[in-house]
Amino acid sequence: MRCQTCGDPRSPEHNDCPRCHTPPGQPAVTPGLPTYRVRGIGLAASIAVGATAVLFLAVALSPLLGMAMARQARADGDPDLLLGALIVTVVAALPMAVAYLAAAVLVIIWTWRARKNTDAFPGALPTLGAGWAIAGWLVPFASFVVPARVVANVARDSLWRRRTPALVFLWWTAWLVFSIGERVVSRLDSQAYDKLPETPFNDAGYQAHIDYYRDSLLRYSVPGVACLIAAVALIVLIQRISTEQEARIARALPVWPTAPVWPTAPVWPAAQGWPAGSVSGGHAAGGAMPSASAPGVEPPAGSGAPVPAPLTPTTVSPEVSPSPVGPEAQSRG
């Protein structure tokens, strides 16, 4: 006997499948419960997450351009170049913010769909409701724990693991380092920039700007690396979970399409006296077609219709289609 979900051999000694934990006799997906496609939204979320990581690395490396422009400003004695360096840094942060917002929305939608799918998987043991897939990112302080727990539940129930995959811990640890580190670095950068002279008049003033961009580059190195690790780990998780969930949902679909149902047959007028009954050959119950071979059937009085003679049943070969037999055919015979 094999498991209907993963196909592994199942022993009667186990209460559920040792691999996917599906109880015996249960299908891959519980009938009647809704499931959602996650591969498309997962691909979109992966692209947005990857774009966010690339753009944040561009922001983290933008102090390199700031240092180059500050040194050029000192060589040329042109303080306007320092303003240009600041504008480049701000402009580089705008597309990153847009990508970050898009990634957040898509990841939340994907998490909610993936969590809802586990409700239809026999053997799944989620510990948090599907609503926490959304609220967990928005509730203060809960956002440091709840999203990781939801994704851990989804990963265990989708990838058939007894324990949370190590990739979840790697993703969440890197995400916390990036999320907290980026806020701390941004505040430190703002405080350090406020101490700079607005218009340097000597080498010391220009050197202060050069030192500021150098220190900013060092500060952004930690959240930059953490952002890259978190993005790669999350993309791999999304792709693995989406693939396994859609494969499991596909196993529960019927292999052959259902045969079309013949429309309801017309009801024979009751005033003509034909007996009601069920019709064979796929007609729905609701009225019986008259049969010329039914003995003892007479048309209504005064109708003038001839009484058909009883017909002898004949055996028809499967290779030969039966011919209609009626009074006219008999008279010709």
Side-chain angles (χ1 to χ4, degrees):
M1 181 178 179
R2 292 186 175 273
C3 176
Q4 299 185 33
T5 299
C6 64
D8 281 6
R10 171 178 285 172
S11 173
E13 301 175 357
H14 298 91
N15 294 328
D16 53 11
C17 177
R19 182 185 180 193
C20 66
H21 323 306
T22 303
Q26 293 290 328
V29 177
T30 304
L33 294 180
T35 56
Y36 301 87
R37 300 186 64 88
V38 291
R39 182 169 295 176
I41 191 68
L43 178 60
S46 299
I47 294 174
V49 169
T52 302
V54 171
L55 292 172
F56 183 78
L57 288 179
V59 172
L61 295 176
S62 62
L64 287 174
L65 181 60
M67 280 194 297
M69 297 182 69
R71 287 171 180 170
Q72 187 64 36
R74 182 178 62 181
D76 298 343
D78 185 5
D80 292 339
L81 289 176
L82 298 176
L83 180 60
L86 178 62
I87 293 175
V88 169
T89 304
V90 173
V91 170
L94 291 178
M96 192 278 295
V98 174
Y100 181 88
L101 180 61
V105 173
L106 292 173
V107 168
I108 289 175
I109 296 174
W110 175 85
T111 307
W112 182 85
R113 288 188 178 186
R115 171 58 187 83
K116 286 290 290 183
N117 284 343
T118 60
D119 289 338
F121 294 165
L125 298 173
T127 58
L128 294 174
W132 284 107
I134 301 174
W137 293 96
L138 305 177
V139 177
F141 300 106
S143 60
F144 291 102
V145 178
V146 175
R149 291 188 59 189
V150 173
V151 175
N153 288 164
V154 173
R156 287 195 302 267
D157 295 333
S158 302
L159 304 178
W160 305 333
R161 304 287 181 86
R162 288 290 187 183
R163 299 180 179 274
T164 302
L167 200 60
V168 176
F169 293 105
L170 177 63
W171 160 65
W172 192 246
T173 302
W175 164 257
L176 290 179
V177 172
F178 159 71
S179 181
I180 299 174
E182 190 275 333
R183 297 178 185 179
V184 173
V185 168
S186 179
R187 180 172 298 180
L188 291 176
D189 262 14
S190 179
Q191 294 175 353
Y193 189 82
D194 292 339
K195 297 178 181 179
L196 294 176
E198 295 183 3
T199 306
F201 296 100
N202 49 31
D203 288 345
Y206 287 108
Q207 187 62 39
H209 282 268
I210 295 174
D211 294 342
Y212 161 77
Y213 286 113
R214 183 194 59 202
D215 296 341
S216 179
L217 180 64
L218 294 175
R219 285 190 291 261
Y220 270 104
S221 61
V222 174
V225 174
C227 177
L228 184 61
I229 295 174
V232 173
L234 181 58
I235 290 172
V236 174
L237 275 174
I238 289 175
Q239 295 305 312
R240 288 183 180 177
I241 293 173
S242 299
T243 300
E244 291 296 334
Q245 284 200 356
E246 295 221 348
R248 181 168 184 168
I249 293 171
R251 289 190 200 99
L253 298 178
V255 178
W256 301 104
T258 306
V261 180
W262 190 263
T264 304
V267 179
W268 194 262
Q272 296 185 6
W274 297 105
S278 61
V279 181
S280 62
H283 292 284
M289 299 295 291
S291 173
S293 62
V297 178
E298 298 181 359
S303 61
V307 179
L311 302 179
T312 303
T314 58
T315 302
V316 181
S317 175
E319 291 79 4
V320 181
S321 301
S323 303
V325 179
E328 296 179 0
Q330 291 179 0
S331 63
R332 287 195 299 271

